[in-house]
Amino acid sequence: IKESELLSGPLESTNEAYAIAKICGLIQAKYLRLEHGIDVRSVMPTNLYGPGDNFDLNTSHVVPALLSKFRTAILEQSSNVTIWGSGSPRREFLHVKDFAEACIELVDQPESTFWGSLPENVFHMNVGSGQDIAISELAELIKEITGFEGSLHFDTEKPDGTPKKLLDVSILRSLGWKPRIHLREGLKDTYEYLCARS
């Protein structure tokens, strides 16, 4: 997904309210720049995860939800973990520490460099890892990291959502930034945080 493709098609129904809230902020920042000349820099992050995340199974996103499920299964000595959907959708993830560093990097860019890197009529920059992974592969990776020895059950009665979400981060990369925390390392770090809390 390129920055220029924002609002070029319908929003995914299971994510519509959340998406509209983020888009409203981006549009407000756009008009602060266009109408008032204020150097407001907006970013569009991919799926973030890390220490301090929301691990509540009713309201969390995919990484903290899976980490919570595997932690609970280990504590309760369950023989399986149920995962929503088929496992085939692909998602991109970025550790929150990498995201923070990217934001600092973008704030520190000279105004001409930041705005000069964006195409005409684009007022935000994608921030992501540039790599995606199938939910089934993510679940297997988390299983390995947590040491869970049971089986995985994919509940295909639950929605998959969008088949693929991957940001085009070529503009960000052209400014010299790339993430430092590999997914495995970041998941391990986040799981250790969760274990220390429970």
Side-chain angles (χ1 to χ4, degrees):
I1 305 169
K2 294 179 181 292
E3 286 89 348
S4 59
E5 293 173 331
L6 183 68
L7 294 177
S8 61
L11 299 172
E12 204 277 317
S13 61
T14 62
N15 210 24
E16 185 178 47
Y18 177 68
I20 287 174
K22 289 199 322 187
I23 291 165
C24 285
L26 292 175
I27 290 173
Q28 181 179 22
K30 169 183 173 178
Y31 282 98
L32 285 170
R33 176 152 179 87
L34 284 175
E35 296 182 2
H36 302 284
I38 300 172
D39 183 18
V40 180
R41 301 180 187 188
S42 298
V43 296
M44 177 65 77
T46 190
N47 297 295
L48 302 176
Y49 72 95
D53 213 329
N54 170 20
F55 294 93
D56 182 287
L57 286 176
N58 295 313
T59 57
S60 60
H61 293 288
V62 63
V63 166
L66 286 176
L67 289 170
S68 287
K69 285 184 176 191
F70 279 90
R71 177 70 175 155
T72 300
I74 289 168
L75 293 174
E76 296 178 355
Q77 299 182 332
S78 299
S79 60
N80 66 67
V81 168
T82 298
I83 298 157
W84 277 29
S86 67
S88 64
R90 300 187 67 83
R91 296 291 182 268
E92 175 185 17
F93 300 100
L94 184 69
H95 194 281
V96 69
K97 289 180 185 176
D98 274 333
F99 178 64
E101 288 184 8
C103 289
I104 292 167
E105 175 74 21
L106 293 174
V107 166
D108 286 344
Q109 291 287 332
E111 189 171 351
S112 60
T113 302
F114 179 85
W115 292 106
S117 67
L118 292 171
E120 189 176 353
N121 296 319
V122 171
F123 295 88
H124 70 278
M125 189 174 296
N126 289 338
V127 177
S129 64
Q131 297 178 322
D132 63 0
I133 184 172
I135 297 300
S136 59
E137 295 172 58
L138 176 68
E140 290 289 351
L141 182 56
I142 291 174
K143 179 181 176 180
E144 180 185 330
I145 288 167
T146 62
F148 178 68
E149 296 181 350
S151 60
L152 305 181
H153 168 69
F154 290 90
D155 183 356
T156 56
E157 296 295 313
K158 300 294 186 187
D160 269 342
T162 304
K164 182 179 176 87
K165 287 185 187 174
L166 177 64
L167 296 180
D168 180 335
V169 292
S170 57
I171 296 173
L172 180 63
R173 291 288 175 90
S174 75
L175 295 175
W177 186 87
K178 63 180 181 179
R180 294 188 299 149
I181 302 172
H182 187 272
L183 182 59
R184 177 185 292 275
E185 176 190 347
L187 291 172
K188 187 172 182 291
D189 170 59
T190 308
Y191 186 63
E192 287 170 358
Y193 170 86
L194 174 61
C195 290
R197 294 177 65 237
S198 57

